[in-house]
Amino acid sequence: MTDFSQAPVLIRVEDLHKDFGNLHVLRGISDVIHKGEVVSLIGPSGSGKSTFLRCLNRLEEPSSGHIWFDGVDITEKKINIDLHRQKMGMVFQHFNIFPHMSVIENITFAPVLLGKLSKAEATEKAEQLLSRVGLLDKRDNKPSRLSGGQKQRLAIVRALAMEPEVMLFDEPTSALDPEMVGEVLDVIKQLAKNNMTCVIVTHEMGFAREVCNRVLFMDEGVICEQGSPRDLFDHPQNPRTRDFLSKVL
Amino acid sequence: MFDRIIRLLSRYGTTFLGGLGTTLLLALISVGIGCILGALVAMMRIGRVKTLRAIATTYVEIIRDTPLLLQLYFFYFMLPDILPQLKLSKFTCIAVALVINSGAYMAEVFRSGIQSIDRGQTEAARSLGLSSRQTMLRIVLPQAFKNILPALCNEFVAVTKETSLASTFYVGDLMTQYQVISGKTYLVLEPLIIIGIIYFVITFTMSKLIAVLERRLKEDD
């Protein structure tokens, strides 16, 4: 297992809280994610793992606490969050592919609009990405023709086209038919192998064990336990972790 | 009756055409500018700024809950009163009133269209780094537009027909010309049938055109 403690820090979270009215969803989360790390967030539903992930790019506005991304405190009100989001790719449970654009436009759209790449560069890059995930022949199709697994692979490369420094996955396989889970996980594995920093909310324990460097177990808005997959899955210390694992493994 | 219609047409053809022109112009103005106004008001209504939201909601409610004829009278007398230096014509005052009226209805159509788009679309766009404006213009509105096309078409047709109320102020639209011609010829039914057919042709063509557009957009999927 690679040791990432010497790698540069990419994201630092300090005492993050989030409440929705009376509902206190995150109750003080602190963590450090290093460059190249692949971290998975596991835990029972309602434990706050998705909310935590969505706070990282402020799709969910934290109620208090700080998040430093690349050394910048992105919870500051004054900063332009759009610029930082360009460097944080996100993949959603329900794909959220843009249905009014062709497959390739889904990918080229943001880099071109945001002035990151020229139209020609973006197209070339998109074609590379599409062939990497086996979708090049769908290039000019409308997304409605794609299967769930294909849509999710498209969503992943759409985010990659912005050349992000970290990829956030919010239950990327939960809405997929079982036979399509593998093809999406394979793409994420490939990313992890190429040292892309990934934070993944998942219910796929086998995947978390195989691919991740670190697993965080969350329950009731806090990180109860964390460690290498081997430690956490085979020798859980916290009784709540044990209880959860006994139900899902 | 048929030959009287023919005679009316040959004698007053240009008058009918003039009325058609004015009606089309009024319809175009109220539909076109009303659309833009409606889109803006819809943004205000779903936006985050409380005062804008309150203003937009008040506007929509007032317009929807008072008769159009009353609004026409109101602007007809109010505008020249508060802006005498502009020397507004009758036509302008009526056009303004029609725009303001159709804007409120369009705003509701746009709002429902925007809210029909899944939040995930916005989140995906924002996560890529798009601003909220870019997201609205490039992701939400194009999709919303497709959804609201049938409702928008209803609005277009309704607005076009409602321009006939402008004849109360003799602005020269089709309905005004009817009054003129029937006053001169003492014929009632015949000119009414003629302008009825003209109205029908305008709105029928409009809904057919939109139906074609709708089918085109659907094939795109």
Side-chain angles (χ1 to χ4, degrees):
Chain A
M1 184 82 9
T2 334
D3 180 16
F4 282 95
S5 57
Q6 298 309 311
V9 171
L10 188 60
I11 301 174
R12 177 189 298 279
V13 181
E14 213 174 85
D15 197 27
L16 190 69
H17 286 258
K18 171 73 186 174
D19 36 44
F20 295 102
N22 287 329
L23 203 62
H24 206 160
V25 182
L26 298 182
R27 300 162 181 260
I29 301 232
S30 299
D31 192 45
V32 174
I33 295 167
H34 296 88
K35 272 201 175 112
E37 246 189 323
V38 179
V39 180
S40 69
L41 295 171
I42 63 168
S45 55
S47 58
K49 30 188 213 310
S50 280
T51 307
F52 173 40
L53 189 80
R54 290 159 56 83
C55 278
L56 290 180
N57 65 354
R58 274 180 53 190
L59 274 190
E60 219 64 81
E61 215 49 74
S63 305
S64 71
H66 293 275
I67 299 166
W68 284 271
F69 173 61
D70 252 353
V72 180
D73 185 352
I74 57 169
T75 52
E76 283 277 338
K77 289 281 170 263
K78 286 176 303 211
I79 63 128
N80 181 359
I81 189 66
D82 297 335
L83 289 177
H84 299 279
R85 283 192 183 132
Q86 293 183 18
K87 293 182 274 173
M88 309 173 106
M90 190 166 211
V91 174
F92 302 84
Q93 184 178 354
H94 295 288
F95 331 131
N96 300 341
I97 292 299
F98 303 134
H100 59 305
M101 299 180 187
S102 69
V103 165
I104 193 153
E105 281 165 352
N106 261 279
I107 306 174
T108 57
F109 166 70
V112 172
L113 179 69
L114 300 171
K116 225 179 131 60
L117 296 173
S118 73
K119 182 93 196 185
E121 289 166 342
T123 307
E124 199 190 319
K125 183 166 184 79
E127 283 170 350
Q128 278 170 16
L129 287 166
L130 281 175
S131 71
R132 222 166 96 188
V133 295
L135 288 176
L136 192 54
D137 57 322
K138 308 284 183 210
R139 181 182 192 286
D140 298 310
N141 285 21
K142 281 282 168 172
S144 54
R145 304 263 167 90
L146 301 182
S147 71
Q150 290 172 330
K151 278 183 190 160
Q152 196 59 305
R153 281 183 279 157
L154 172 59
I156 294 173
V157 291
R158 174 178 68 182
L160 287 177
M162 290 299 294
E163 298 180 337
E165 290 177 38
V166 58
M167 287 285 286
L168 311 173
F169 293 90
D170 191 1
E171 303 198 21
T173 58
S174 297
L176 293 175
D177 289 336
E179 77 269 22
M180 292 173 181
V181 170
E183 62 192 62
V184 170
L185 293 183
D186 283 341
V187 174
I188 305 177
K189 267 183 225 170
Q190 228 184 76
L191 281 179
K193 218 181 284 168
N194 293 329
N195 296 322
M196 170 65 79
T197 314
C198 297
V199 185
I200 310 167
V201 173
T202 186
H203 295 293
E204 300 286 333
M205 297 302 150
F207 170 79
R209 180 196 284 260
E210 184 189 348
V211 179
C212 298
N213 312 110
R214 192 153 61 94
V215 181
L216 308 181
F217 171 75
M218 282 183 68
D219 195 14
E220 293 180 1
V222 292
I223 299 175
C224 292
E225 183 169 358
Q226 61 162 300
S228 71
R230 194 177 306 162
D231 289 345
L232 194 118
F233 285 118
D234 297 338
H235 312 286
Q237 302 300 313
N238 189 308
R240 280 195 278 178
T241 321
R242 261 182 247 153
D243 182 51
F244 173 73
L245 290 175
S246 73
K247 282 180 193 148
V248 296
L249 284 181
Chain B
M1 171 132 92
F2 186 70
D3 48 291
R4 264 179 301 193
I5 288 180
I6 299 292
R7 236 179 306 145
L8 270 181
L9 275 177
S10 62
R11 181 120 180 248
Y12 295 104
T14 48
T15 318
F16 284 117
L17 275 183
L20 171 64
T22 310
T23 291
L24 279 180
L25 187 61
L26 275 177
L28 213 67
I29 291 172
S30 30
V31 165
I33 307 180
C35 243
I36 299 170
L37 177 66
L40 288 175
V41 173
M43 309 284 193
M44 285 165 63
R45 274 201 90 174
I46 56 175
R48 244 172 300 170
V49 188
K50 245 191 189 154
T51 39
L52 289 182
R53 229 166 39 206
I55 293 171
T57 308
T58 314
Y59 159 64
V60 169
E61 288 306 330
I62 289 178
I63 296 299
R64 289 205 307 173
D65 299 342
T66 54
L68 172 59
L69 191 56
L70 181 150
Q71 294 160 18
L72 290 175
Y73 271 104
F74 182 76
F75 283 98
Y76 182 77
F77 291 116
M78 188 264 292
L79 283 179
D81 206 43
I82 58 167
L83 298 165
Q85 61 277 31
L86 287 184
K87 299 208 168 59
L88 296 171
S89 67
K90 279 200 299 201
F91 182 85
T92 314
C93 296
I94 292 307
V96 168
L98 284 171
V99 163
I100 292 200
N101 179 271
S102 81
Y105 285 94
M106 301 276 188
E108 282 305 276
V109 173
F110 275 105
R111 183 177 64 88
S112 71
I114 290 168
Q115 288 176 337
S116 74
I117 303 302
D118 184 52
R119 250 174 63 99
Q121 291 289 310
T122 305
E123 292 185 345
R126 296 306 306 271
S127 79
L128 288 165
L130 270 69
S131 66
S132 57
R133 217 181 95 95
Q134 288 167 325
T135 304
M136 185 52 80
L137 288 177
R138 307 296 294 265
I139 302 295
V140 178
L141 283 182
Q143 295 183 57
F145 183 68
K146 204 189 281 190
N147 291 356
I148 61 174
L149 222 48
L152 217 49
C153 170
N154 282 341
E155 271 314 302
F156 285 5
V157 170
V159 166
T160 307
K161 288 185 295 185
E162 278 164 0
T163 57
S164 60
L165 282 177
S167 64
T168 316
F169 308 92
Y170 273 73
V171 292
D173 67 316
L174 276 173
M175 206 66 196
T176 311
Q177 306 307 13
Y178 157 75
Q179 290 167 345
V180 171
I181 292 167
S182 105
K184 278 185 188 162
T185 59
Y186 302 105
L187 290 174
V188 180
L189 281 181
E190 290 81 356
L192 212 48
I193 288 171
I194 293 172
I195 66 160
I197 292 173
I198 299 177
Y199 274 118
F200 181 84
V201 171
I202 301 174
T203 47
F204 188 74
T205 321
M206 247 159 74
S207 27
K208 284 297 153 207
L209 281 178
I210 292 182
V212 170
L213 182 63
E214 213 176 309
R215 222 171 308 134
R216 264 292 155 77
L217 288 174
K218 258 207 198 104
E219 278 163 15
D220 259 11
D221 280 346

